[in-house]
Amino acid sequence: MSIDVQNRWAERPPGMRDVYPQQAGLRRRLESRLLNFFEQQGFELVSCGLLEYVETLMRGRSVAEADQWLRLFDATGRTVALRPEMTPSIARMAVPLLAAGTREIRWCYAERVYRRTVDPATLSWASGKAAESTQVGIEWIGRTGRDADADAIALCQSAVARLELEGWQLVVSHALFAPAFLRACGVPEESVAGLTQCLARGDYVGFREQLAPFNLEWDVLDLLSRLDPLAERGLPAAVHERFAGRPDGATALAVWEELVGLAAVLRERGLADRLSFDLTMVRDLSYYTGVVFEVFAPGVGAPVALGGRYDDLLSQFGASAPAIGFAVEVERMLTALTDGAWLVHGGPDDCREEGTGC
Amino acid sequence: MLTVALAKGRTADGVLPLWRRAGLPLPDDLDDSRALVFHVRGEDGGAFRYLLAKPADVPTYVAFGVADVGVVGKDVLLESDREVYELLDLRAARCKLCVAGRPEERSRRPRRVATKYPRLADQYFRSLGQAVEIVVLSGSIELAAVIGLADRVFDLVQTGATLAANGLVVYDEVLDVSARLIANRSSYHTKRAAVLNVVDRLREALVELEVTP
């Protein structure tokens, strides 16, 4: 073999990845295992087209999120985008049924999703965001409350546990807590968004720099990162005292109580072993309104599964209902399961023997 | 075990005293040996593995999770644009990212800029509304301005001695750079206690350093 210096073969667009026989088999088996499990749990498989109108995807979102979408014009001149995730499509499909009186919807899916990126696919599958990746997930519409949240987290944990992934950790946070906490600590409204963006990026140095001019009496980042709804000790008394008298403090306290309640349910149901809370975890999707969670595994730099509650999104589509959902990032999960071996063309025949669950 | 990616050279030299002060274990032969991987056990029993990497590769090692944490300059971190947690400003290995060139070029519009930082240079000149051609080089950037390949260089300046020796002057200081502690997103959650231990010790050492430098 030699390098094709004359460019004899057809080129592949950047970000796209060819998946050869053994690899494709591994991926399909993982998708099937997850789908079978979700179907056993009472979730029905749905599917839809790859393109959505940008206007559909924009509902309930900030303009900045659209920056990552692959947008183009359809034959009539309307802007469409390759779906960056399945939740908006599912919302679009579910709303007519809800309007006609359906109370609860449990759907699952296995689809490719698309994003703008310049990284090669192998790189972004393991770490950042891939141009094309596969998500297998569920959307559970119509239920709210701590039991519904715990059910979704339990389902995510069981799905991950069935894949025999090693060393995983499920991290829980709440979309409304960090912003409310910052406001209640005395951060002016116009600075809250910038600070939560720092948290979403994991830029703790930038967070401290932006917070420094306000001369707050507490180390807010330290306090926030050490709050643990699972621990018996609860919220520090000083925090409780300060928050009780303020409207934004009341929001933070209410969310805190919600999380303590959820933590108690999780502990009771034996779901707290591989689970921790990190209230500095903020997601870069603006439609989340409640609990959010991410599953981390050694050897990959981004979550292998992620989800959260979005109670206001469906009303943007014309019928209001609470909802929660999550998706497993299939290629990243395979990278974690096989320690990267699945990326090697013709490589990981031994991955079955090692009990990697594929 | 916690794996730490260190940037060989200036960044490591600036950060190691702080690392020692924080009581974090370090191999004795780090400077002399040609090895790239070192195993050490701390007094409290915590095991550390150190990787010596090229500075520009530290964010990559950390983003991929082969290193749990890393020490790298803010310049490299911004240029790499990898998804990692930036946990702590170590306030060491300080320098400045600058635009420099020959004195007689200063009054002219920039046309061609030589740099190791194509992303940051592009952002900087675009934010000034100036269209420039970026020439990517991997070292001795000053040379480009001396021999006229470029009319500006966009590079790190520590003492200014290299610039002065080549007859170049600083036009603008773009960014204050210092070493940062970064962490892999998974490691931060799956090895939280070990990572926070490193953060806490370094923060204590930084506070001590402010009181008794």
Side-chain angles (χ1 to χ4, degrees), chain B:
Chain B
M1 186 182 67
L2 203 66
T3 303
V4 184
L6 287 179
K8 274 192 284 194
R10 206 180 46 78
T11 311
D13 296 344
V15 167
L16 290 185
L18 179 73
W19 208 266
R20 279 197 195 91
R21 196 177 192 124
L24 294 164
L26 274 173
D28 305 323
D29 53 348
L30 196 62
D31 297 331
D32 322 323
S33 170
R34 290 184 67 90
L36 299 172
V37 182
F38 298 85
H39 288 264
V40 207
R41 191 164 282 282
E43 282 159 24
D44 54 0
F48 283 76
R49 180 170 67 167
Y50 289 93
L51 312 179
L52 290 186
K54 265 191 83 154
D57 298 337
V58 169
T60 309
Y61 282 99
V62 174
F64 270 81
V66 285
D68 299 307
V69 298
V71 174
V72 67
K74 179 70 176 172
D75 53 327
V76 175
L77 189 58
L78 279 175
E79 180 67 27
S80 74
D81 196 31
R82 292 248 174 258
E83 295 200 359
V84 294
Y85 286 128
E86 184 180 340
L87 299 178
L88 204 57
D89 180 354
L90 300 175
R91 294 180 229 150
R94 286 173 193 265
C95 45
K96 283 182 161 57
L97 206 50
C98 295
V99 180
R102 291 197 303 272
E104 66 270 24
E105 282 286 345
R106 188 167 195 154
S107 54
R108 300 204 197 129
R109 279 187 77 83
R111 298 176 302 280
R112 211 188 263 173
V113 180
T115 186
K116 281 191 283 198
Y117 306 93
R119 252 175 60 85
L120 295 178
D122 181 55
Q123 274 175 9
Y124 171 79
F125 285 101
R126 265 194 298 129
S127 67
L128 294 178
Q130 292 172 334
V132 297
E133 189 181 348
I134 300 217
V135 181
V136 183
L137 298 175
S138 57
S140 302
I141 311 296
E142 297 83 359
L143 184 59
V146 174
I147 60 164
L149 170 62
D151 53 283
R152 299 277 195 284
V153 296
F154 183 91
D155 200 21
L156 223 45
V157 176
Q158 197 171 12
T159 60
T162 317
L163 287 183
N166 289 290
L168 304 180
V169 293
V170 171
Y171 297 168
D172 189 16
E173 292 178 353
V174 177
L175 180 77
D176 285 315
V177 171
S178 58
R180 305 296 160 98
L181 180 73
I182 60 173
N184 174 265
R185 288 174 67 188
S186 291
S187 303
Y188 183 74
H189 294 290
T190 55
K191 299 182 178 176
R192 191 170 166 84
V195 174
L196 287 183
N197 174 43
V198 172
V199 174
D200 288 344
R201 282 175 170 218
L202 287 168
R203 278 179 72 190
E204 279 165 30
L206 281 167
V207 172
E208 271 178 40
L209 214 57
E210 260 172 26
V211 182
T212 52

